C-alpha cells in the first residue's frame, strides 16, 4: 500500500491564483481530512469527510473548498490564494469513525507559498 | 470541547540523557491520546497511543508515555536520547466520535534538539 499520497510536494502561487492540492489513499478509509500546519500552532483542521459525497468544515475552512466523489480521493481547492494561506498542508485518513483509538495516517505534506 | 497544551515549546538534551516532553489535556469524555513525531521536512509518524488498556504506553524507538487521569496529563519520555530523536513532537487528543463529528486537537508542538 502507498498509504496517503499528496501532490505536489512544493508549490508557489501568486496572490489571486487558484489551485488544487491532491490527496489520495489506498487503504479504503472512510474518513479523510485536511490540516494546515503553521509555526507554533500545531495542525489545524480545514475540512473533513466521513465518506464519499459527505464533507464538513473544520476549524479554519475559509478560502478552501473540498469535494469527495470517491473513497480514495479528497482534493483541496484554493479559490483565490492569499499570503495568509502560506503553510504546509497535510492530508490524513482514518478507517472510519468507529474505533475510538484508531490512529490517523498522514500524507507527506505539501509546502505552499503564496507571494 | 477537547484541547491539549504542550508545556514546553523547545527541549534540549544531551545524547544519552533522558527526554521528557510534557502534555496536559482537557476533555469532557474518555479521550484518545496520541503522540506523533515529525522529522524535518517529513510527515507525521505515530509514536504511541493511549487505548485505555494500560496507563503506561510503550511506543516505537524506545518512547513511552503515562496516562494520568487525575493530573490530566500524558507525558512522553525516553530513558536515553539519540541524535535521531531530534524532531518536533505533537501531543494529540480526541474525544470519542459523536455522529459524524470526529476531530483531533493538536498541541503546538515541542521541538527537541539533541547535543552530541
Amino acid at each position: 500500500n502507498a498509504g496517503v499520497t499528496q501532490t505536489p510536494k512544493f508549490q508557489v502561487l501568486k496572490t489571486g491564483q487558484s489551485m488544487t492540492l491532491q490527496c489520495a489513499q489506498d487503504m479504503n478509509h472512510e474518513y479523510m481530512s485536511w490540516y494546515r500546519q503553521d509555526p507554533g500552532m500545531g495542525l489545524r483542521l480545514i475540512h473533513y469527510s466521513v465518506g464519499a459525497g459527505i464533507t464538513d468544515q473544520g476549524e479554519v475552512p475559509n478560502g478552501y473548498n473540498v469535494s469527495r466523489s470517491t473513497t480514495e480521493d479528497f482534493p483541496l481547492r484554493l479559490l483565490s490564494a492569499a499570503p495568509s494561506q502560506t503553510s504546509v498542508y497535510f492530508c490524513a485518513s482514518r478507517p472510519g469513525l468507529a474505533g475510538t483509538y484508531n490512529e490517523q495516517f498522514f500524507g507527506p505534506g505539501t509546502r505552499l507559498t503564496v507571494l | 470541547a477537547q484541547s491539549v497544551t504542550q508545556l514546553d515549546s523547545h527541549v534540549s538534551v544531551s545524547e544519552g540523557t533522558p527526554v521528557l516532553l510534557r502534555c496536559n489535556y482537557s476533555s469532557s469524555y474518555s479521550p484518545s491520546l496520541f503522540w506523533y513525531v515529525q522529522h524535518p521536512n517529513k510527515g507525521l509518524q505515530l509514536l504511541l497511543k493511549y487505548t485505555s488498556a494500560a496507563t503506561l504506553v510503550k511506543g516505537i524507538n524506545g518512547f513511552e508515555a503515562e496516562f494520568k487521569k487525575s493530573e490530566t496529563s500524558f507525558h512522553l519520555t525516553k530513558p536515553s536520547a539519540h541524535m535521531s530523536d531530534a524532531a518536533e513532537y505533537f501531543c494529540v487528543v480526541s474525544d470519542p466520535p459523536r455522529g459524524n463529528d470526529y476531530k483531533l486537537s493538536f498541541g503546538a508542538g515541542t521541538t527537541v534538539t539533541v547535543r552530541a
Side-chain angles (χ1 to χ4, degrees):
Chain A
N1 285 353
V4 181
T5 57
Q6 292 182 237
T7 56
K9 289 187 177 179
F10 301 94
Q11 183 70 50
V12 178
L13 292 178
K14 295 181 179 178
T15 297
Q17 287 185 314
S18 63
M19 78 159 296
T20 299
L21 308 185
Q22 300 292 344
C23 174
Q25 52 91 10
D26 61 358
M27 298 174 283
N28 201 32
H29 286 175
E30 291 294 321
Y31 183 91
M32 296 185 73
S33 52
W34 276 101
Y35 295 86
R36 60 177 289 171
Q37 182 182 28
D38 301 294
M41 302 185 74
L43 275 69
R44 294 180 292 167
L45 182 65
I46 304 171
H47 285 286
Y48 65 99
S49 168
V50 299
I54 306 171
T55 63
D56 207 343
Q57 296 182 350
E59 184 182 355
V60 287
N62 292 340
Y64 307 95
N65 274 358
V66 292
S67 60
R68 185 95 179 272
S69 57
T70 66
T71 299
E72 295 77 19
D73 301 299
F74 191 43
L76 178 72
R77 296 182 186 84
L78 280 70
L79 307 174
S80 177
S84 61
Q85 294 178 304
T86 294
S87 187
V88 181
Y89 292 84
F90 288 98
C91 180
S93 74
R94 188 178 188 268
L97 289 181
T100 302
Y101 305 109
N102 284 341
E103 66 175 282
Q104 285 205 111
F105 295 83
F106 287 85
T110 294
R111 189 174 296 272
L112 176 67
T113 301
V114 183
L115 302 175
Chain B
Q2 68 211 23
S3 66
V4 61
T5 302
Q6 292 183 242
L7 300 174
D8 307 288
S9 60
H10 186 254
V11 168
S12 179
V13 298
S14 297
E15 191 175 21
T17 65
V19 181
L20 169 64
L21 306 184
R22 299 181 295 164
C23 171
N24 286 350
Y25 71 90
S26 173
S27 173
S28 303
Y29 305 91
S30 296
S32 310
L33 290 158
F34 307 86
W35 276 99
Y36 282 86
V37 61
Q38 183 182 28
H39 288 93
N41 300 313
K42 300 291 186 183
L44 280 78
Q45 179 185 16
L46 181 69
L47 273 180
L48 50 80
K49 61 183 179 181
Y50 168 67
T51 64
S52 80
T55 56
L56 185 61
V57 182
K58 294 189 182 298
I60 62 173
N61 300 334
F63 284 94
E64 63 181 35
E66 186 170 9
F67 174 72
K68 292 187 177 180
K69 186 175 181 178
S70 61
E71 299 177 9
T72 61
S73 68
F74 191 56
H75 300 336
L76 181 71
T77 61
K78 183 173 181 177
S80 177
H82 191 270
M83 296 299 290
S84 60
D85 295 326
E88 190 162 19
Y89 294 78
F90 294 97
C91 182
V92 182
V93 64
S94 177
D95 287 336
R98 291 173 290 161
N100 284 343
D101 188 19
Y102 172 78
K103 298 182 181 67
L104 299 179
S105 291
F106 284 77
T110 299
T111 300
V112 172
T113 58
V114 182
R115 304 183 302 271

